[in-house]
């Protein structure tokens, strides 16, 4: 695992009308790290993800991937540099089969795999997320969890340099949660870089090398999971003043 | 010359504004892209013509018949024809496509009925057509009367939207139908009301236009195009934007018709439209959404 | 290509060859009907290439069609016929490029509105040009071409459109279109340049329609802007494609035949009631056949296979529901 600077976020700001949803956020991610993005509801985590993936243009600040400036590029160009993501509200393609859904990631991803070869890639990724043998079902015939798996598989099929997961573990029952955590751990083991928004504390403690905590758009703390979860400011942000 | 152009476009813009406010209510609040709005307008023009020539009722009194009739008709159309589409649509995009196709149907049916009744000829009638001297230029009195009525109706609408409970409900649905439903606004009823008011405004604009324009049964499409472009220019769902954009459009048309060629008015409209699309696609008054 | 596709190809080839024999049997009514059917099949299939997967309702058909016809008016006598057709295709694609660049970045509504008045706009511009700069408004078309030749060219064009559609469906472009049709946000985040894909398809579709306009232009000996840029064509093409189903390559074909026959009948017997027919057809399709005939057939087939698989698995499913 080569430990070099992969993604660098500097002074990133997004204003919606009068609301500052993301306020001067800066942090770095090293290659091979799994970084957790934490914060109470409405603190701007999804907006930050949207700024990185190009769904939104920042009001100020920059995002750099290995020295290449991503700020202001349209989402398809950012995807081509190796940024892949899942969405908080799962987005699968209803008229495509599971296999085709996942192929999309490989065919249009940074490697531009040919449709024939993408089929093979999609099969193996589906196998990996636990959907082996169900390639030909359509999303409508699958459960919510399996749809989330398809979405992760689609992102993985692109063989991304960095994977953005927006509450991918939310809504899973305890057994599924364990499988989900194992899955992300296996990604970590193969050296993938992941930025994950998460509320599930177990997952954060066991997976993240480092965490960034946001509150009301600003960065509140940064450090190992144990450090940030013990930080009085963080506790106050989550639970209110009385608990600090 | 400049004054003449400005004043003429102001007079024309009044009637356009009514039609555009009608469409912006129908699309912005009831979420129906009504492509038969031009036929509503032309239908009202024919109604005014018929009342004037056959029943000896002038168009101003005629408005008292035409506007409520259009209100009722549009209410019925929304309730019985469009509500099933609203219910069926899984998302905004589906409703958009469905409503476009359904109102195409209406467009052709209305046009077919008018063709059957009046044929393809041009119609006009004379009403208040004596010249009036204003600031050294002569204008037909009917244009001035039409503008005055349009301005009064627009003002009434503005006050209605901003000063009454129902108006507030209409504006709330326009901003966010789901949230409006959560604060106990009857979204279905409010949408039907907005659609019906939109139709009534358009009909009113049509009756006023008929006082000074010649029209025929297949002209609706041209007005629909204008109304659509005004609404996009003004910013969807914003009656103030519709008024400003209507005046701008009338200005562009009048300028081109006076200085270049009356045969190029649509080109002027499109020129304006393309500028808006390229530089301010959310419209003059619209806010950029993500 | 698998065996099924080879069979379909061979069958389509035979069918085309069979249809091409029509002028040998009849030069009158049936040939006229054949020309009109072939023209509409080519146009509505080309329309659906773009509008089917993207759900952008294009009303620019008349604009492309008229552009093709006007290429013939201007070049028909001087340039060789194949060159005329190529120029028509290029002009159609250019017009699509311009219209698409202004609107395709934006929403479907912007696009519909823009295309809604496009034919009318070009008609006005051509009329203005001809009255002020280029002489007479109407012009004669002198191209030495028989009805049978027009028919054959249209048949060949239909074949080409279907081939193009088939090739697109198999390519990355086809997959990209399906993704865009389902969810543009996902498409963009997967690396698809959505604006470019839409623009490309719109140009292909516009080029084909312009060629239909060019091939059909010699049918009128006299052309004026209101004939060539008749916006009814746009609406008819939309109706036919939707009736058949615009999400399948063969869908529009299914819609064209009944609608054209009905339209010819009605316009023959009650020329003033074609509007009512169009209007009723739109409403009937929206309310009762929203996916078109092709979509309906697919739905029924899906339901049947579903029932079969369920029947086969019934003990297990019963066990599950009992739990
Ligand atoms: N497109 C938008 N337009 C206007 N405001 C927005 C938009 N997107 C997000 N916001 C606002 O920005 C703030 C941050 O939202 P965001 O979705 O980023 O929060 P979050 O941290 O992801 O919350 P959650 O944990 O609930 O997912 C919220 O107040 C939200 O209402
Ligand atoms: Mg979020």
């Amino acid at each position: 695992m080569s430990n070099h600077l992969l993604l660098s976020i500097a002074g990133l700001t997004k204003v919606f009308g009068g609301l500052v949803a993301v306020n001067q956020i800066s942090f770095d991610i090293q290659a091979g790290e799994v970084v957790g993005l934490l914060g109470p509801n409405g603190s701007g985590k999804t907006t930050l993800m949207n700024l990185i993936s190009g769904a939104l243009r920042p009001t100020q600040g920059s995002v750099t991937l290995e020295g290449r400036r991503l700020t202001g590029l349209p989402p398809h160009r950012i995807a081509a540099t190796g940024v892949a993501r899942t969405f908080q509200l799962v987005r699968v393609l209803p008229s495509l089969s599971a296999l085709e859904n996942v192929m999309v990631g490989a065919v249009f991803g940074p490697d531009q795999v040919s449709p024939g070869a993408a089929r093979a890639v999609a099969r193996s990724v589906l196998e990996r997320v636990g959907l082996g043998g169900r390639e030909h079902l359509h999303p409508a015939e699958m459960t919510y969890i399996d749809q989330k798996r398809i979405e992760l598989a689609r992102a993985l099929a692109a063989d991304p340099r960095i994977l953005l997961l927006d509450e991918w573990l939310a809504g899973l029952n305890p057994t599924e949660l364990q499988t989900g955590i194992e899955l992300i751990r296996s990604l970590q083991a193969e050296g993938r870089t992941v930025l994950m928004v998460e509320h599930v504390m177990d997952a954060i403690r066991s997976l993240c090398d480092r965490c960034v905590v946001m509150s009301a758009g600003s960065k509140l703390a940064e450090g190992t999971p144990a450090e940030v979860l013990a930080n009085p400011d963080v506790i106050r942000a989550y639970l209110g003043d009385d608990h600090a | 010359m400049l004054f003449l152009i400005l004043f003429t476009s102001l007079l024309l813009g009044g009637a356009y504004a009514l039609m555009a406010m009608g469409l912006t209510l129908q699309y912005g609040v009831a979420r129906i892209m009504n492509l038969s709005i031009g036929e509503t307008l032309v239908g009202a023009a024919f109604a005014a013509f018929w009342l004037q020539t056959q029943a000896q009722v002038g168009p101003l009194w005629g408005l008292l018949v035409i506007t409520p009739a259009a209100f009722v008709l549009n209410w019925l159309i929304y309730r019985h024809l469009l509500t099933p589409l609203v219910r069926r649509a899984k998302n905004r995009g589906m409703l958009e496509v469905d409503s476009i196709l359904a109102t195409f149907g209406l467009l052709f049916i209305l046009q077919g009925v008018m063709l059957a009744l009046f044929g393809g000829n041009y119609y006009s009638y004379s009403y208040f057509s004596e010249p009036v001297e204003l600031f050294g230029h002569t204008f037909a009195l009917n244009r001035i009367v039409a503008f005055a009525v349009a301005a009064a109706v627009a003002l009434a609408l503005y006050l209605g939207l901003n000063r009454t409970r129902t108006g507030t409900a209409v504006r709330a649905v326009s901003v966010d139908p789901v949230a409006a439903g959560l604060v106990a606004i009857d979204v279905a009823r409010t949408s039907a009301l907005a659609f019906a008011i939109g139709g009534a405004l358009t009909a009113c604009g049509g009756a006023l236009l008929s006082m000074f324009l010649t029209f025929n049964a297949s002209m609706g499409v041209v007005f629909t195009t204008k109304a659509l472009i005004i609404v996009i220019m003004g910013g969807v769902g914003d009656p103030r934007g519709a008024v400003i954009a209507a005046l701008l459009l009338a200005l562009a048309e009048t300028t081109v018709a006076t200085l270049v060629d009356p045969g190029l008015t649509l080109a002027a409209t499109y020129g304006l439209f393309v500028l808006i699309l390229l530089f301010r696609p959310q419209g003059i008054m619209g806010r950029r959404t993500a | 290509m698998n065996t099924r596709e080879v069979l379909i190809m061979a069958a389509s080839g035979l069918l085309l060859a069979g249809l091409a024999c029509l002028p040998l049997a009849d030069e009158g009514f049936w040939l006229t009907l054949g020309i009109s059917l072939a023209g509409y099949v080519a146009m509505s299939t080309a329309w659906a290439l773009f509008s089917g997967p993207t759900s952008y309702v294009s009303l620019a058909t008349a604009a492309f069609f008229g552009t093709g016809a006007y290429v013939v008016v201007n070049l028909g006598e001087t340039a060789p016929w194949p060159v005329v057709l190529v120029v028509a295709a290029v002009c159609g694609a250019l017009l699509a490029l311009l219209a698409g660049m202004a609107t395709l970045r934006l929403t479907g509504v912007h696009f519909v509105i823009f295309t809604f008045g496009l034919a009318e706009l070009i008609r006005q511009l051509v009329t203005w040009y001809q009255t002020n700069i280029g002489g007479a408004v109407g012009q004669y078309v002198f191209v030495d071409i028989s009805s049978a030749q027009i028919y054959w060219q249209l048949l060949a064009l239909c074949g080409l459109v279907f081939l193009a559609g088939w090739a697109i469906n198999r390519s990355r472009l086809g997959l990209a279109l399906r993704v865009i049709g389902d969810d543009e946000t996902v498409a963009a985040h997967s690396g698809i340049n959505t604006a470019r894909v839409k623009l490309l398809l719109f140009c292909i579709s516009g080029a084909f329609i312009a060629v239909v306009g060019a091939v059909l232009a010699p049918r009128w000996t006299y052309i004026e802007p209101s004939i060539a840029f008749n916006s009814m064509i746009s609406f008819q093409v939309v109706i036919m494609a939707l009736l058949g189903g615009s999400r399948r390559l063969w869908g529009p074909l299914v819609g064209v035949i009944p609608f054209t026959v009905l339209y010819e009948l009605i316009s023959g017997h009650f020329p003033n009631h074609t509007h009512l027919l169009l209007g009723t057809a739109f409403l009937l399709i929206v309310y009762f056949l929203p996916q078109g005939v092709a979509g309906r057939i697919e739905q029924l087939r899906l339901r049947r296979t579903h029932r079969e698989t369920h029947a086969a698995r019934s003990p297990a499913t019963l066990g599950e529901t009992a739990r």
Side-chain angles (χ1 to χ4, degrees), chain A residues 85-86 90-94 96-105 122 125-126 129-131 134-157 168 183:
Chain A
R85 70 174 290 180
T86 66
V90 63
R91 297 184 94 131
V92 283
L93 305 163
L96 272 59
S97 68
L99 187 76
E100 290 169 322
N101 259 281
V102 179
M103 275 172 67
V104 169
V125 181
L126 277 170
V129 299
L131 287 177
R134 282 189 275 172
E135 289 94 350
H136 292 288
L137 292 186
H138 278 251
E141 304 168 283
M142 299 180 129
T143 60
Y144 181 70
I145 302 307
D146 288 345
Q147 294 187 3
K148 286 199 134 186
R149 288 187 165 137
I150 293 185
E151 215 190 5
L152 177 62
R154 184 174 68 214
L156 281 177
W168 191 76
L183 185 59

Side-chain angles (χ1 to χ4, degrees), chain A residues 55 75 85 87 91, chain C residues 179-180 182-191 194:
Chain A
R85 70 174 290 180
F87 294 87
R91 297 184 94 131
Chain C
V179 180
I180 292 174
D182 268 2
D183 190 330
E184 263 198 76
T185 308
V186 169
H189 281 90
S190 308
T194 54

